[in-house]
Amino acid sequence: MQEDVMKRFLALAGMMVLMVGPRLAAQATPLHPDPMDGLWQGYDGEWRHVSNQLIALAEATPADKFAWRPAPGVRSTSEVYMHIVLANFYLLSVTGPPMPPDLKEDAEKTVTSKPEVFAWLKRSLEAVRKAHAAETPADLARRVKVQGGDSTVDAMYLRIIIHDNEHMGQLVAYARMTGVVPPWSK
């Protein structure tokens, strides 16, 4: 009886893969990578996924929407992107690589144009990718001090990816409020 149920389940799962797989593959283009790319592939795959989404959303957002904010006193679109940039570099610096000398503390407020924001975003995402790729298991287990507490290098990378995903959700909400459809949901 259980063997029969298992065979039916596997047959159904196989049919679903045959039906859904071509649709997902058809959506993938050089400008719009496979929406599932990177998922379930550990840290590096998940990092590639959120990085691709952040870049795709920034590309899809018109330059004039980078100044948009949902209410007075709330970060604008460019400020959210630059907040991600500053956090990526700061949290990475806790693991060893220094903050870029040309990244100013007030960048969240002063770097506002789409081309500048986009360049910094790509630079910060690539810095995290390269640094993580160079880490060994012993490096990831190394203890670090952050804001008066103890942590590990691995935990810092976890914080980076969680932080970027948190603000991805915020940026998707901003995009929807300004009429921008995230490219992966078209």
Side-chain angles (χ1 to χ4, degrees):
M1 174 87 171
Q2 270 187 320
E3 190 175 314
D4 189 47
V5 171
M6 182 60 87
K7 284 180 184 177
R8 286 183 185 167
F9 172 77
L10 290 174
L12 179 61
M15 287 187 339
M16 290 179 70
V17 166
L18 290 173
M19 291 170 29
V20 175
R23 271 195 251 160
L24 286 175
Q27 293 174 1
T29 67
L31 290 177
H32 302 286
D34 181 341
M36 305 303 277
D37 182 41
L39 292 179
W40 309 293
Q41 295 177 22
Y43 185 91
D44 293 332
E46 295 291 342
W47 183 252
R48 186 172 68 249
H49 182 73
V50 73
S51 295
N52 287 341
Q53 285 188 315
L54 284 165
I55 289 168
L57 191 57
E59 285 176 332
T61 303
D64 65 321
K65 301 296 184 198
F66 272 61
W68 184 86
R69 65 182 75 241
V74 178
R75 285 185 177 117
S76 69
T77 300
S78 70
E79 289 170 343
V80 174
Y81 279 114
M82 289 308 296
H83 173 75
I84 291 169
V85 167
L86 286 163
N88 284 350
F89 280 120
Y90 167 70
L91 295 169
L92 190 57
S93 77
V94 172
T95 73
M99 292 285 290
D102 55 332
L103 181 59
K104 306 300 179 212
E105 283 186 41
D106 64 351
E108 191 174 309
K109 298 286 186 196
T110 60
V111 178
T112 59
S113 74
K114 179 176 178 173
E116 287 180 295
V117 170
F118 191 71
W120 274 109
L121 177 64
K122 286 174 63 176
R123 185 173 164 187
S124 77
L125 297 171
E126 183 62 11
V128 172
R129 185 195 68 74
K130 280 184 173 179
H132 187 266
E135 302 285 8
T136 66
D139 294 332
L140 293 171
R142 183 171 46 89
R143 306 293 303 170
V144 294
K145 295 276 187 193
V146 58
Q147 296 182 345
D150 290 323
S151 190
T152 64
V153 169
D154 191 45
M156 297 311 298
Y157 281 105
L158 183 61
R159 182 67 239 152
I160 292 169
I161 200 169
I162 290 169
H163 183 260
D164 281 23
N165 274 292
E166 287 173 357
H167 287 294
M168 167 55 72
Q170 179 183 11
L171 288 164
V172 167
Y174 279 29
R176 295 283 186 184
M177 287 187 270
T178 61
V180 176
V181 177
W184 59 89
S185 68
K186 288 183 180 179

